[in-house]
Amino acid sequence: MKTILAGLLFAMLWASASVATKFGILSAPPLILGNLRFFIAGLVLLGYCYLISRDKQYRLPNTEEWRQLAIFGFLNTTVYLGMYVFAMKYTAAGIGSLATSTNPLLIVLLSSWLMGRKPAKSEIISIIIGMTGIALATYPLLKNSGTSVFGVTILMLSMVAVSFASVYYARVTWTLPNLLINGWQVTLGGLFLLPFTLTMSDFSSVQFDSRLIYSVLWLSLSVSVVGLICWFYLLKIDTVKASLWLFLCPLFGFFYAWWLLNEPITLYTIAGTLLVITGLYIGQRKKFIA
């Protein structure tokens, strides 16, 4: 029961990120919103590790670990989340949540490429079906100003970036605790993003209203802290079965977008979501069965 509750909470929180971002960018430019989120999440995680817990396992990284954390933070936070939050300015929230669920498919493809292994036919088919599903769900939304080809392109590039980050994370033998890894990578990623935020954002347009405050707190505390704690818990129990909970993210994501942002749920939405879930199942079914 504890695992089921953790999985449901993860899916519900992870899927909410796109809607919370859509609200936040109404009060601040995307990169400013992203930096606020990253620094608050990093402050909370590192503050707990070093000031509240004071457990001996929460130590400062060594030279090699700093390098690993910097690479992971750059890929996972600076590039992935930086591009993701920027893309949400030009993309519907539901599409943002749907795109996130393709991450396991891209990881399989990138892992095969980096390891010099020829992708299995089922893996290629899963990628094609998943991307077709996103295209189908996106198609009717391109007719309004809420979604553009530019936004979807940036969004999918961010998915490639997080897939690279996931493959890198899996190939490193980490000796630091998960909370410390996440705390440092999100903080370092925020620092790497800062020069882009300072040069590309209009700070005069920032409105420090309740909408911005609630969005930042939700993204940093609920998604980046609580959501990732649930994810690491699921990974510790069973890495493969943890991916099953990604099936629920598009469903929750489109529900939030419909409920809070009045985004339409059409036959294109339903068909596209089913294709993405089908592709995810085809690409991972051997692992699930095993």
Side-chain angles (χ1 to χ4, degrees):
M1 180 60 69
K2 187 177 180 181
T3 302
I4 293 175
L5 291 176
L8 285 173
L9 183 58
F10 161 75
M12 293 171 68
L13 292 176
W14 210 245
S16 71
S18 56
V19 172
T21 300
K22 293 293 283 188
F23 277 116
I25 59 178
L26 294 175
S27 299
L31 295 185
I32 293 178
L33 176 69
N35 259 129
L36 289 172
R37 169 190 177 180
F38 305 149
F39 287 145
I40 291 176
L43 181 65
V44 170
L45 288 167
L46 295 178
Y48 170 78
C49 292
Y50 292 124
L51 300 178
I52 298 177
S53 174
R54 297 189 179 183
D55 191 305
K56 290 183 179 180
Q57 66 174 330
Y58 297 128
R59 57 177 175 76
L60 285 175
N62 58 39
T63 302
E64 178 62 16
E65 289 168 340
W66 278 122
R67 185 186 69 83
Q68 294 169 342
L69 288 167
I71 294 174
F72 183 49
F74 178 75
L75 291 172
N76 193 69
T77 297
T78 308
V79 182
Y80 161 49
L81 289 176
M83 294 179 74
Y84 181 87
V85 72
F86 183 79
M88 291 314 300
K89 184 176 180 180
Y90 308 96
T91 312
I95 299 301
S97 180
L98 184 62
T100 302
S101 64
T102 64
N103 180 234
L105 308 181
L106 294 173
I107 289 175
V108 169
L109 197 63
L110 288 174
S111 297
S112 300
W113 173 54
L114 292 174
M115 295 171 62
R117 176 179 66 84
K118 184 178 180 180
K121 185 181 295 185
S122 62
E123 295 170 350
I124 297 175
I125 292 174
S126 70
I127 294 290
I128 295 174
I129 293 176
M131 294 308 169
T132 301
I134 290 179
L136 186 61
T138 303
Y139 173 71
L141 298 175
L142 295 175
K143 298 177 182 179
N144 60 55
S145 58
T147 301
S148 66
V149 174
F150 172 75
V152 174
T153 301
I154 298 298
L155 181 64
M156 295 315 300
L157 287 175
S158 75
M159 294 303 110
V160 174
V162 71
S163 299
F164 269 110
S166 299
V167 172
Y168 176 79
Y169 178 85
R171 296 181 68 173
V172 171
T173 303
W174 298 97
T175 55
L176 293 171
N178 286 331
L179 282 182
L180 208 53
I181 293 172
N182 191 38
W184 279 119
Q185 71 89 12
V186 76
T187 300
L188 292 172
L191 288 173
F192 297 148
L193 182 65
L194 193 56
F196 298 96
T197 302
L198 293 174
T199 56
M200 296 174 62
S201 301
D202 178 13
F203 283 80
S204 64
S205 65
V206 177
Q207 304 174 41
F208 286 100
D209 51 18
S210 59
R211 182 171 55 199
L212 177 61
I213 293 172
Y214 292 145
S215 296
V216 169
L217 290 178
W218 183 266
L219 287 167
S220 57
L221 302 181
S222 297
V223 179
S224 292
V225 176
V226 179
L228 281 174
I229 288 175
C230 291
W231 180 244
F232 284 135
Y233 171 78
L234 294 169
L235 289 176
K236 188 175 181 180
I237 295 175
D238 192 311
T239 304
V240 173
K241 291 183 179 179
S243 299
L244 282 168
W245 296 104
L246 291 170
F247 281 82
L248 293 179
C249 288
L251 305 181
F252 281 120
F254 276 113
F255 172 73
Y256 294 148
W258 166 77
W259 178 34
L260 299 172
L261 296 172
N262 295 316
E263 290 186 5
I265 295 180
T266 65
L267 290 176
Y268 287 96
T269 304
I270 297 171
T273 301
L274 289 175
L275 280 175
V276 171
I277 292 176
T278 300
L280 181 58
Y281 174 74
I282 290 174
Q284 302 285 302
R285 70 171 184 262
K286 290 184 179 178
K287 296 180 180 178
F288 294 153
I289 294 172

